Amino acid sequence: APRAAPAATVLAVLLTAVAAGTASAVVTDRYYLLQPAEHWWGLGPIPYYFPDEAARFVERAALPGQVFHSLSIGGFLIHAWHGERRVFIDGRNDPYLDGVLETYLQATADPSAFEAAVRRYRITAVLWPHQRALEGRTLLGYLERDPGWVLVHLDAGAAVYGRTDTLTPALEAGA
């Protein structure tokens, strides 16, 4: 019995530390950066886990130029667009050895770096999944404020912004 008391104390301290760390992450909105919301307690595919509707919108609207998107959905977009449209980045390393990953990271964190990428890669649209909004909060805030970009599609899975100088009047009006 005397040995059980120290073990129980250590276990209680560890459990308290884990609970406090988790509570802190939830309160400061950092939990989903540590543990992405990729868990589904049901049958079938996770609703809106992939930006299906937004990908179809980009395809149907035939938006010109390059689409900038989160790294996490690049592989999905390759599949969704049947390889007929280039993705900006995905999880593979080989195609992006010329600084694309660095450009992507800078562009999501700094609006001036994003605009430099827009010019270099001829980016005319941004497709961003909601579940990655914290990762792209600087970029998304910039797109909302800058008059050169307009929200052209919004669904439960993602948002699509387009450059106002490349959009047709119908798309710009949200049709």
Side-chain angles (χ1 to χ4, degrees):
R3 289 183 182 227
T9 302
V10 168
L11 183 61
V13 168
L14 285 173
L15 185 59
T16 302
V18 168
T22 302
S24 172
V26 169
V27 169
T28 60
D29 286 332
R30 288 181 171 77
Y31 177 77
Y32 291 105
L33 290 175
L34 302 173
Q35 180 68 33
E38 298 170 354
H39 306 291
W40 175 244
W41 302 102
L43 300 175
I46 302 172
Y48 307 110
Y49 180 74
F50 292 109
D52 305 72
E53 292 177 38
R56 280 192 298 274
F57 170 80
V58 168
E59 194 173 32
R60 280 193 319 267
L63 297 178
Q66 178 68 54
V67 176
F68 189 83
H69 53 81
S70 77
L71 173 64
S72 65
I73 63 168
F76 166 77
L77 292 175
I78 290 171
H79 172 73
W81 293 334
H82 313 288
E84 295 172 11
R85 183 180 193 106
R86 290 186 58 191
V87 298
F88 185 79
I89 194 165
D90 64 73
R92 299 172 296 166
N93 291 329
D94 296 347
Y96 309 109
L97 296 177
D98 64 346
V100 174
L101 179 59
E102 183 179 355
T103 299
Y104 167 80
L105 294 171
Q106 291 171 349
T108 58
D110 177 18
S112 63
F114 172 71
E115 285 298 336
V118 165
R119 290 186 298 278
R120 178 176 179 191
Y121 295 100
R122 296 183 175 99
I123 295 168
T124 59
V126 175
L127 188 162
W128 206 267
H130 300 316
Q131 62 181 261
R132 299 294 182 203
L134 284 176
E135 294 169 20
R137 67 183 174 267
T138 301
L139 174 61
L140 295 172
Y142 169 72
L143 295 172
E144 278 295 318
R145 290 186 309 273
D146 189 272
W149 293 89
V150 64
L151 181 66
V152 294
H153 176 83
L154 180 66
D155 63 53
V160 178
Y161 292 85
R163 286 186 56 85
T164 56
D165 60 353
T166 61
L167 297 175
T168 66
L171 278 176
E172 198 168 343

